[in-house]
Every structure is written in C-alpha cells, then in structure tokens.
Amino acid sequence: MLGSIETAAVAQVDPETLSENVFRRIQSAIVKGEIAPGSKISEPELARTYGISRGPLREAIHRLEGQRLLVRVPHVGARVVSLSHAELVELYEIRESLEGMACRLAAERMTAQEVEDLRRVLETHERDTAFQAGVGYYQQEGDFDFHYRIIQGARNSTLTQMLCGELYQLVRMYRIQFSTTPNRPRQAFAEHHRILDAIADRDGELAELLMRRHIGASKRNIEQRYQEQHQATPARGEQ
C-alpha cells in the first residue's frame, strides 16, 4: 500500500514545478547558444525532448517571451531572438547608460562587506578554466556575475527590475556569445578590477565612467565581429 502511495505521489508532480524546471533548462540552452538564435520553436519537439506536457511547456515559453529570449513571428510562431546589428548596438547603448548609473550608485551605497564579496567574485572568475585558457569569461549568473552584483548594490528597484529582470538573460546571451573574442576575456577582467577599485574608493563619478567605457569597449568588439562576419560572407547579407 505504501509503495502505491509513493508511486502516486511521484506521478502527481506539481505542474508549476514542471514548468519552472523546463523554463530553466530551455532558458539555459538559449542563453548558452545550444539552441541557436533564430531557431524556430517546435512545441511537440520540445515536449518530447524535455518529457513534459504542452500546458507547462506553453507556460515556460510564455515566460521566455517575457524575457525577450523568444519572439512571436506572424504565421510562423515562436523563434529564438536574433537581434540585428542595429538592435544589438541599441541594447548596449542602454546598458552603457543604465549600468553606468548603477555603478555610480553602488559606489555610494554598497557596504564594505559587499565590496569585499565583489572582490571574491573576481577571484572566482580568475580561477575559471576557460578564463585561464584565454577562451572565454566566467559565465555563471546571479551572485557570481560581476555586473549583477553591482546592479544589486545600487539599491534602486527600478534599475534592478530592468537590468536584473527584464533584460538580464538577453544581455547574458550576447555577453556569452561575444566573450570568446581573442584577448577580450583578459581585457574585460582588467576593466572589472579598475571598476571595483573605484567602487571601493567610493568614487562614484570614476566608477560610472569606467563602467561606461567597459561596456563601450564591448560594443566596439561586437561591431568589429559583425564587420568581420559580414566581410567573410558578403553574399549572405544580414540575417
């Protein structure tokens, strides 16, 4: 009797738990590029891949649309987002402005312990095997993300909602995509250290300037990569 009760309990998994699980798995696959930008989302295929019914899957897809990782295309359905060059530049212009502001506020509002914790985050990044090999920058999210911790330290709920909520996974997707540019991981790490030093010195003006320069450098890196890709495939045009 007990065995049958346990079996029934396992079978009656909370649909919200299923939806959350598949949401996180698909989100991770999109952000890391395992599901390519522009790919059409097939609900039957995803349902088979993740072993989930269509109801929880549709809830997960709806949440991914809210994070701007999926977009609805008329007469086609959902696709993984694939920003144009112009749209990506706009995203980085927004980051440059808002994260610069967040950095200034963080210099004013982060506690000494939070600053020290941020230094520990960079130490973790430095030990990462991909970083040591020079092939990428640390890709974990949330509290292990240098930018995320600074935004949280700004203590501005509107900034947090925009940069750690609405735009966060979309930004991560492109940060990961372009983090493998030769020499960029080491440059970004050095820039992070200079930003942290300005925050630790409580120099909000310098911290903001350095963050804006840091994101501006990333934007130039993206523009260079797009130019190289365009020159390599001139017949294909923009995707």
Side-chain angles (χ1 to χ4, degrees):
M1 180 65 178
L2 179 59
S4 63
I5 293 174
E6 289 174 344
T7 301
V10 171
Q12 294 175 0
V13 179
D14 185 347
E16 290 187 8
T17 302
L18 284 171
S19 179
E20 177 68 22
N21 179 269
V22 77
F23 164 71
R24 293 296 177 189
R25 292 172 68 186
I26 298 173
Q27 179 194 71
S28 177
I30 292 173
V31 168
K32 293 178 179 178
E34 295 165 5
I35 302 177
S39 299
K40 186 178 184 301
I41 294 299
S42 166
E43 289 187 15
E45 183 178 340
L46 286 177
R48 287 193 300 271
T49 299
Y50 295 101
I52 191 172
S53 64
R54 299 287 282 275
L57 176 60
R58 285 172 179 164
E59 173 60 26
I61 288 173
H62 179 71
R63 291 177 64 187
L64 292 164
E65 288 181 56
Q67 291 189 330
R68 305 192 184 190
L69 293 178
L70 296 181
V71 293
R72 287 281 171 183
V73 180
H75 312 299
V76 175
R79 285 188 179 276
V80 176
V81 67
S82 180
L83 297 183
S84 68
H85 179 211
E87 289 170 332
L88 195 49
V89 168
E90 287 180 1
L91 179 63
Y92 271 71
E93 288 173 345
I94 291 170
R95 285 191 64 202
E96 188 175 337
S97 178
L98 296 185
E99 289 197 42
M101 181 195 307
C103 207
R104 173 171 54 80
L105 294 174
E108 299 169 0
R109 298 174 181 177
M110 287 181 81
T111 66
Q113 184 60 56
E114 287 172 330
V115 173
E116 188 60 26
D117 290 343
L118 191 55
R119 202 171 295 279
R120 299 287 85 80
V121 166
L122 288 185
E123 290 175 359
T124 301
H125 293 182
E126 189 173 21
R127 292 192 298 268
D128 181 59
T129 54
F131 178 78
Q132 289 289 332
V135 296
Y137 198 91
Y138 197 77
Q139 297 179 359
Q140 297 301 314
E141 61 183 303
D143 285 344
F144 292 100
D145 181 343
F146 181 78
H147 290 261
Y148 181 94
R149 293 288 283 259
I150 288 176
I151 295 161
Q152 293 288 327
R155 291 182 170 78
N156 181 299
S157 59
T158 302
L159 275 177
T160 300
Q161 181 181 357
M162 295 175 69
L163 296 174
C164 294
E166 181 182 355
L167 295 175
Y168 183 60
Q169 297 298 340
L170 179 64
V171 167
R172 279 192 71 229
M173 174 180 169
Y174 282 100
R175 281 172 55 192
I176 290 172
Q177 182 176 329
F178 290 101
S179 70
T180 57
T181 302
N183 301 318
R184 183 58 192 157
R186 292 284 176 183
Q187 291 171 353
F189 183 75
E191 290 163 7
H192 282 177
H193 262 292
R194 287 193 287 272
I195 291 167
L196 176 56
D197 288 341
I199 291 174
D201 290 340
R202 305 303 182 184
D203 190 336
E205 184 177 351
L206 179 59
E208 178 172 8
L209 175 64
L210 291 174
M211 180 60 83
R212 291 178 69 101
R213 285 179 176 175
H214 170 62
I215 296 173
S218 296
K219 183 175 69 174
R220 289 191 296 275
N221 170 49
I222 289 169
E223 290 172 336
Q224 181 179 347
R225 287 282 294 273
Y226 263 93
Q227 185 176 13
E228 290 170 354
Q229 291 170 2
H230 183 74
Q231 290 172 347
T233 56
R236 291 176 61 188
E238 288 195 14
Q239 297 299 310

